[in-house]
Amino acid sequence: MALFYDLGALLHKREQNPEAIDANLITFVEEANDVLLKVRKNIDKKNYEKVYKHILKLKGTVELLAMEEAMEEALVIVDWTKTEGKVKTIKEIFKSFDKRVKGAVKEVKKDFNIKEKV
């Protein structure tokens, strides 16, 4: 049972284009943790452009997985990069986003039997 994403919405989209959805899920599983690490490091460095770039990499899949709360958090992070806000204001939001994305990665791996490349 998917707790971090909407399995029903994903399966509906998957019926329409299974190869593209599967490819997107595999890429998400393989790259999400690395992208999250880059976002965290660049938040600490106040490198707003890189945070923006990396959040956008995840935003599409977060939307595909119908992760409403994570999508809202991604938009807040994007806005933070545009206004060049204070680091402490975004830390808690990113922490929640990070937890949701990692949870979704774990569930997608299990639900779709995806193995990460070593």
Side-chain angles (χ1 to χ4, degrees), residues 37-59:
L37 181 62
K38 289 177 182 177
V39 171
R40 182 180 302 111
K41 286 181 179 180
N42 284 295
I43 285 173
D44 290 336
K45 294 178 183 177
K46 295 184 181 180
N47 191 333
Y48 300 102
E49 294 91 20
K50 287 188 179 181
V51 171
Y52 179 81
K53 178 181 113 179
H54 294 303
I55 282 293
L56 289 184
K57 282 185 180 181
L58 294 173
K59 188 173 166 272

PDB file of all heavy atoms in Angstrom, residues 37-59:
ATOM      1  N   LEU A  37      20.485  15.004  -1.867  1.00  0.00           N
ATOM      2  CA  LEU A  37      21.744  15.365  -1.219  1.00  0.00           C
ATOM      3  C   LEU A  37      22.291  16.675  -1.793  1.00  0.00           C
ATOM      4  O   LEU A  37      22.733  17.559  -1.058  1.00  0.00           O
ATOM      5  CB  LEU A  37      22.764  14.236  -1.373  1.00  0.00           C
ATOM      6  CG  LEU A  37      24.122  14.460  -0.734  1.00  0.00           C
ATOM      7  CD1 LEU A  37      23.994  14.611   0.783  1.00  0.00           C
ATOM      8  CD2 LEU A  37      25.052  13.301  -1.063  1.00  0.00           C
ATOM      9  N   LYS A  38      22.216  16.820  -3.111  1.00  0.00           N
ATOM     10  CA  LYS A  38      22.684  18.049  -3.759  1.00  0.00           C
ATOM     11  C   LYS A  38      21.846  19.249  -3.334  1.00  0.00           C
ATOM     12  O   LYS A  38      22.376  20.340  -3.109  1.00  0.00           O
ATOM     13  CB  LYS A  38      22.656  17.893  -5.277  1.00  0.00           C
ATOM     14  CG  LYS A  38      23.732  16.958  -5.790  1.00  0.00           C
ATOM     15  CD  LYS A  38      23.637  16.756  -7.287  1.00  0.00           C
ATOM     16  CE  LYS A  38      24.698  15.775  -7.762  1.00  0.00           C
ATOM     17  NZ  LYS A  38      24.582  15.497  -9.192  1.00  0.00           N
ATOM     18  N   VAL A  39      20.538  19.047  -3.209  1.00  0.00           N
ATOM     19  CA  VAL A  39      19.676  20.144  -2.755  1.00  0.00           C
ATOM     20  C   VAL A  39      20.073  20.557  -1.349  1.00  0.00           C
ATOM     21  O   VAL A  39      20.246  21.743  -1.061  1.00  0.00           O
ATOM     22  CB  VAL A  39      18.182  19.741  -2.806  1.00  0.00           C
ATOM     23  CG1 VAL A  39      17.316  20.804  -2.131  1.00  0.00           C
ATOM     24  CG2 VAL A  39      17.724  19.538  -4.242  1.00  0.00           C
ATOM     25  N   ARG A  40      20.228  19.578  -0.456  1.00  0.00           N
ATOM     26  CA  ARG A  40      20.584  19.878   0.938  1.00  0.00           C
ATOM     27  C   ARG A  40      21.897  20.657   1.004  1.00  0.00           C
ATOM     28  O   ARG A  40      21.991  21.679   1.706  1.00  0.00           O
ATOM     29  CB  ARG A  40      20.708  18.582   1.749  1.00  0.00           C
ATOM     30  CG  ARG A  40      21.040  18.837   3.221  1.00  0.00           C
ATOM     31  CD  ARG A  40      21.175  17.572   4.047  1.00  0.00           C
ATOM     32  NE  ARG A  40      19.970  16.768   4.022  1.00  0.00           N
ATOM     33  CZ  ARG A  40      19.862  15.575   3.419  1.00  0.00           C
ATOM     34  NH1 ARG A  40      20.888  15.043   2.799  1.00  0.00           N
ATOM     35  NH2 ARG A  40      18.727  14.912   3.452  1.00  0.00           N
ATOM     36  N   LYS A  41      22.912  20.192   0.277  1.00  0.00           N
ATOM     37  CA  LYS A  41      24.215  20.868   0.305  1.00  0.00           C
ATOM     38  C   LYS A  41      24.117  22.292  -0.234  1.00  0.00           C
ATOM     39  O   LYS A  41      24.731  23.215   0.305  1.00  0.00           O
ATOM     40  CB  LYS A  41      25.239  20.076  -0.508  1.00  0.00           C
ATOM     41  CG  LYS A  41      25.710  18.824   0.178  1.00  0.00           C
ATOM     42  CD  LYS A  41      26.741  18.096  -0.663  1.00  0.00           C
ATOM     43  CE  LYS A  41      27.241  16.847   0.039  1.00  0.00           C
ATOM     44  NZ  LYS A  41      28.240  16.128  -0.765  1.00  0.00           N
ATOM     45  N   ASN A  42      23.342  22.462  -1.300  1.00  0.00           N
ATOM     46  CA  ASN A  42      23.247  23.788  -1.904  1.00  0.00           C
ATOM     47  C   ASN A  42      22.361  24.737  -1.109  1.00  0.00           C
ATOM     48  O   ASN A  42      22.545  25.951  -1.184  1.00  0.00           O
ATOM     49  CB  ASN A  42      22.800  23.670  -3.363  1.00  0.00           C
ATOM     50  CG  ASN A  42      23.947  23.208  -4.235  1.00  0.00           C
ATOM     51  OD1 ASN A  42      24.939  23.910  -4.381  1.00  0.00           O
ATOM     52  ND2 ASN A  42      23.848  22.015  -4.779  1.00  0.00           N
ATOM     53  N   ILE A  43      21.421  24.210  -0.342  1.00  0.00           N
ATOM     54  CA  ILE A  43      20.670  25.072   0.585  1.00  0.00           C
ATOM     55  C   ILE A  43      21.642  25.640   1.609  1.00  0.00           C
ATOM     56  O   ILE A  43      21.643  26.841   1.884  1.00  0.00           O
ATOM     57  CB  ILE A  43      19.524  24.301   1.279  1.00  0.00           C
ATOM     58  CG1 ILE A  43      18.361  24.089   0.297  1.00  0.00           C
ATOM     59  CG2 ILE A  43      19.044  25.047   2.526  1.00  0.00           C
ATOM     60  CD1 ILE A  43      17.245  23.201   0.833  1.00  0.00           C
ATOM     61  N   ASP A  44      22.486  24.776   2.170  1.00  0.00           N
ATOM     62  CA  ASP A  44      23.455  25.233   3.168  1.00  0.00           C
ATOM     63  C   ASP A  44      24.424  26.265   2.605  1.00  0.00           C
ATOM     64  O   ASP A  44      24.855  27.173   3.313  1.00  0.00           O
ATOM     65  CB  ASP A  44      24.231  24.037   3.740  1.00  0.00           C
ATOM     66  CG  ASP A  44      23.354  23.146   4.614  1.00  0.00           C
ATOM     67  OD1 ASP A  44      22.338  23.643   5.156  1.00  0.00           O
ATOM     68  OD2 ASP A  44      23.681  21.958   4.746  1.00  0.00           O
ATOM     69  N   LYS A  45      24.754  26.138   1.322  1.00  0.00           N
ATOM     70  CA  LYS A  45      25.684  27.070   0.675  1.00  0.00           C
ATOM     71  C   LYS A  45      24.985  28.314   0.126  1.00  0.00           C
ATOM     72  O   LYS A  45      25.638  29.187  -0.439  1.00  0.00           O
ATOM     73  CB  LYS A  45      26.396  26.377  -0.491  1.00  0.00           C
ATOM     74  CG  LYS A  45      27.319  25.265  -0.086  1.00  0.00           C
ATOM     75  CD  LYS A  45      27.918  24.631  -1.335  1.00  0.00           C
ATOM     76  CE  LYS A  45      28.797  23.458  -1.016  1.00  0.00           C
ATOM     77  NZ  LYS A  45      29.310  22.814  -2.246  1.00  0.00           N
ATOM     78  N   LYS A  46      23.658  28.350   0.246  1.00  0.00           N
ATOM     79  CA  LYS A  46      22.848  29.424  -0.338  1.00  0.00           C
ATOM     80  C   LYS A  46      23.075  29.548  -1.839  1.00  0.00           C
ATOM     81  O   LYS A  46      23.073  30.645  -2.405  1.00  0.00           O
ATOM     82  CB  LYS A  46      23.127  30.763   0.347  1.00  0.00           C
ATOM     83  CG  LYS A  46      22.722  30.822   1.792  1.00  0.00           C
ATOM     84  CD  LYS A  46      22.945  32.206   2.352  1.00  0.00           C
ATOM     85  CE  LYS A  46      22.563  32.281   3.812  1.00  0.00           C
ATOM     86  NZ  LYS A  46      22.764  33.613   4.367  1.00  0.00           N
ATOM     87  N   ASN A  47      23.245  28.412  -2.482  1.00  0.00           N
ATOM     88  CA  ASN A  47      23.399  28.395  -3.936  1.00  0.00           C
ATOM     89  C   ASN A  47      22.004  28.199  -4.541  1.00  0.00           C
ATOM     90  O   ASN A  47      21.600  27.088  -4.881  1.00  0.00           O
ATOM     91  CB  ASN A  47      24.356  27.284  -4.364  1.00  0.00           C
ATOM     92  CG  ASN A  47      24.741  27.396  -5.814  1.00  0.00           C
ATOM     93  OD1 ASN A  47      23.988  27.927  -6.623  1.00  0.00           O
ATOM     94  ND2 ASN A  47      25.918  26.899  -6.144  1.00  0.00           N
ATOM     95  N   TYR A  48      21.282  29.287  -4.641  1.00  0.00           N
ATOM     96  CA  TYR A  48      19.878  29.261  -5.030  1.00  0.00           C
ATOM     97  C   TYR A  48      19.655  28.675  -6.421  1.00  0.00           C
ATOM     98  O   TYR A  48      18.677  27.948  -6.628  1.00  0.00           O
ATOM     99  CB  TYR A  48      19.286  30.672  -4.955  1.00  0.00           C
ATOM    100  CG  TYR A  48      19.370  31.267  -3.572  1.00  0.00           C
ATOM    101  CD1 TYR A  48      20.344  32.212  -3.251  1.00  0.00           C
ATOM    102  CD2 TYR A  48      18.485  30.871  -2.581  1.00  0.00           C
ATOM    103  CE1 TYR A  48      20.419  32.756  -1.978  1.00  0.00           C
ATOM    104  CE2 TYR A  48      18.547  31.411  -1.303  1.00  0.00           C
ATOM    105  CZ  TYR A  48      19.525  32.345  -1.011  1.00  0.00           C
ATOM    106  OH  TYR A  48      19.594  32.868   0.258  1.00  0.00           O
ATOM    107  N   GLU A  49      20.548  28.978  -7.372  1.00  0.00           N
ATOM    108  CA  GLU A  49      20.384  28.468  -8.733  1.00  0.00           C
ATOM    109  C   GLU A  49      20.453  26.944  -8.779  1.00  0.00           C
ATOM    110  O   GLU A  49      19.663  26.295  -9.458  1.00  0.00           O
ATOM    111  CB  GLU A  49      21.445  29.054  -9.681  1.00  0.00           C
ATOM    112  CG  GLU A  49      21.325  30.542  -9.904  1.00  0.00           C
ATOM    113  CD  GLU A  49      22.147  31.343  -8.905  1.00  0.00           C
ATOM    114  OE1 GLU A  49      23.094  30.801  -8.291  1.00  0.00           O
ATOM    115  OE2 GLU A  49      21.822  32.532  -8.720  1.00  0.00           O
ATOM    116  N   LYS A  50      21.392  26.370  -8.047  1.00  0.00           N
ATOM    117  CA  LYS A  50      21.525  24.913  -8.047  1.00  0.00           C
ATOM    118  C   LYS A  50      20.372  24.242  -7.296  1.00  0.00           C
ATOM    119  O   LYS A  50      19.907  23.174  -7.709  1.00  0.00           O
ATOM    120  CB  LYS A  50      22.876  24.490  -7.477  1.00  0.00           C
ATOM    121  CG  LYS A  50      24.019  24.778  -8.427  1.00  0.00           C
ATOM    122  CD  LYS A  50      25.315  24.201  -7.953  1.00  0.00           C
ATOM    123  CE  LYS A  50      26.402  24.498  -8.970  1.00  0.00           C
ATOM    124  NZ  LYS A  50      27.696  23.931  -8.577  1.00  0.00           N
ATOM    125  N   VAL A  51      19.909  24.841  -6.214  1.00  0.00           N
ATOM    126  CA  VAL A  51      18.747  24.301  -5.509  1.00  0.00           C
ATOM    127  C   VAL A  51      17.565  24.276  -6.471  1.00  0.00           C
ATOM    128  O   VAL A  51      16.870  23.263  -6.597  1.00  0.00           O
ATOM    129  CB  VAL A  51      18.402  25.134  -4.247  1.00  0.00           C
ATOM    130  CG1 VAL A  51      17.067  24.686  -3.666  1.00  0.00           C
ATOM    131  CG2 VAL A  51      19.505  25.027  -3.212  1.00  0.00           C
ATOM    132  N   TYR A  52      17.351  25.360  -7.170  1.00  0.00           N
ATOM    133  CA  TYR A  52      16.253  25.475  -8.147  1.00  0.00           C
ATOM    134  C   TYR A  52      16.369  24.380  -9.207  1.00  0.00           C
ATOM    135  O   TYR A  52      15.399  23.671  -9.490  1.00  0.00           O
ATOM    136  CB  TYR A  52      16.293  26.868  -8.780  1.00  0.00           C
ATOM    137  CG  TYR A  52      15.235  27.106  -9.820  1.00  0.00           C
ATOM    138  CD1 TYR A  52      13.935  27.456  -9.451  1.00  0.00           C
ATOM    139  CD2 TYR A  52      15.528  27.001 -11.171  1.00  0.00           C
ATOM    140  CE1 TYR A  52      12.959  27.689 -10.403  1.00  0.00           C
ATOM    141  CE2 TYR A  52      14.554  27.224 -12.137  1.00  0.00           C
ATOM    142  CZ  TYR A  52      13.275  27.567 -11.739  1.00  0.00           C
ATOM    143  OH  TYR A  52      12.305  27.785 -12.696  1.00  0.00           O
ATOM    144  N   LYS A  53      17.546  24.241  -9.772  1.00  0.00           N
ATOM    145  CA  LYS A  53      17.781  23.248 -10.828  1.00  0.00           C
ATOM    146  C   LYS A  53      17.486  21.833 -10.331  1.00  0.00           C
ATOM    147  O   LYS A  53      16.808  21.053 -11.016  1.00  0.00           O
ATOM    148  CB  LYS A  53      19.233  23.349 -11.308  1.00  0.00           C
ATOM    149  CG  LYS A  53      19.629  22.350 -12.369  1.00  0.00           C
ATOM    150  CD  LYS A  53      21.079  22.526 -12.753  1.00  0.00           C
ATOM    151  CE  LYS A  53      21.836  21.317 -12.303  1.00  0.00           C
ATOM    152  NZ  LYS A  53      23.238  21.320 -12.622  1.00  0.00           N
ATOM    153  N   HIS A  54      17.947  21.495  -9.154  1.00  0.00           N
ATOM    154  CA  HIS A  54      17.780  20.135  -8.631  1.00  0.00           C
ATOM    155  C   HIS A  54      16.343  19.866  -8.183  1.00  0.00           C
ATOM    156  O   HIS A  54      15.839  18.754  -8.378  1.00  0.00           O
ATOM    157  CB  HIS A  54      18.770  19.858  -7.511  1.00  0.00           C
ATOM    158  CG  HIS A  54      20.189  19.834  -7.980  1.00  0.00           C
ATOM    159  ND1 HIS A  54      20.639  18.999  -8.976  1.00  0.00           N
ATOM    160  CD2 HIS A  54      21.260  20.559  -7.604  1.00  0.00           C
ATOM    161  CE1 HIS A  54      21.924  19.206  -9.184  1.00  0.00           C
ATOM    162  NE2 HIS A  54      22.325  20.159  -8.368  1.00  0.00           N
ATOM    163  N   ILE A  55      15.689  20.847  -7.618  1.00  0.00           N
ATOM    164  CA  ILE A  55      14.284  20.663  -7.227  1.00  0.00           C
ATOM    165  C   ILE A  55      13.432  20.406  -8.465  1.00  0.00           C
ATOM    166  O   ILE A  55      12.530  19.562  -8.456  1.00  0.00           O
ATOM    167  CB  ILE A  55      13.760  21.876  -6.425  1.00  0.00           C
ATOM    168  CG1 ILE A  55      14.260  21.824  -4.993  1.00  0.00           C
ATOM    169  CG2 ILE A  55      12.233  21.948  -6.444  1.00  0.00           C
ATOM    170  CD1 ILE A  55      13.715  20.672  -4.152  1.00  0.00           C
ATOM    171  N   LEU A  56      13.726  21.109  -9.545  1.00  0.00           N
ATOM    172  CA  LEU A  56      12.962  20.894 -10.776  1.00  0.00           C
ATOM    173  C   LEU A  56      13.143  19.480 -11.318  1.00  0.00           C
ATOM    174  O   LEU A  56      12.227  18.936 -11.939  1.00  0.00           O
ATOM    175  CB  LEU A  56      13.333  21.925 -11.835  1.00  0.00           C
ATOM    176  CG  LEU A  56      12.845  23.349 -11.576  1.00  0.00           C
ATOM    177  CD1 LEU A  56      13.184  24.256 -12.754  1.00  0.00           C
ATOM    178  CD2 LEU A  56      11.365  23.399 -11.271  1.00  0.00           C
ATOM    179  N   LYS A  57      14.310  18.871 -11.085  1.00  0.00           N
ATOM    180  CA  LYS A  57      14.529  17.487 -11.513  1.00  0.00           C
ATOM    181  C   LYS A  57      13.538  16.543 -10.832  1.00  0.00           C
ATOM    182  O   LYS A  57      13.089  15.579 -11.429  1.00  0.00           O
ATOM    183  CB  LYS A  57      15.949  17.022 -11.183  1.00  0.00           C
ATOM    184  CG  LYS A  57      16.999  17.514 -12.125  1.00  0.00           C
ATOM    185  CD  LYS A  57      18.333  16.885 -11.759  1.00  0.00           C
ATOM    186  CE  LYS A  57      19.430  17.348 -12.677  1.00  0.00           C
ATOM    187  NZ  LYS A  57      20.724  16.723 -12.342  1.00  0.00           N
ATOM    188  N   LEU A  58      13.224  16.817  -9.584  1.00  0.00           N
ATOM    189  CA  LEU A  58      12.313  15.953  -8.826  1.00  0.00           C
ATOM    190  C   LEU A  58      10.847  16.339  -9.003  1.00  0.00           C
ATOM    191  O   LEU A  58       9.960  15.493  -8.878  1.00  0.00           O
ATOM    192  CB  LEU A  58      12.672  15.999  -7.339  1.00  0.00           C
ATOM    193  CG  LEU A  58      14.026  15.413  -6.955  1.00  0.00           C
ATOM    194  CD1 LEU A  58      14.315  15.676  -5.494  1.00  0.00           C
ATOM    195  CD2 LEU A  58      14.056  13.916  -7.250  1.00  0.00           C
ATOM    196  N   LYS A  59      10.597  17.590  -9.273  1.00  0.00           N
ATOM    197  CA  LYS A  59       9.240  18.119  -9.304  1.00  0.00           C
ATOM    198  C   LYS A  59       8.345  17.372 -10.292  1.00  0.00           C
ATOM    199  O   LYS A  59       7.194  17.064  -9.979  1.00  0.00           O
ATOM    200  CB  LYS A  59       9.281  19.611  -9.635  1.00  0.00           C
ATOM    201  CG  LYS A  59       7.970  20.324  -9.525  1.00  0.00           C
ATOM    202  CD  LYS A  59       8.200  21.824  -9.715  1.00  0.00           C
ATOM    203  CE  LYS A  59       6.926  22.560  -9.960  1.00  0.00           C
ATOM    204  NZ  LYS A  59       6.546  22.630 -11.350  1.00  0.00           N
TER     205      LYS A  59
END
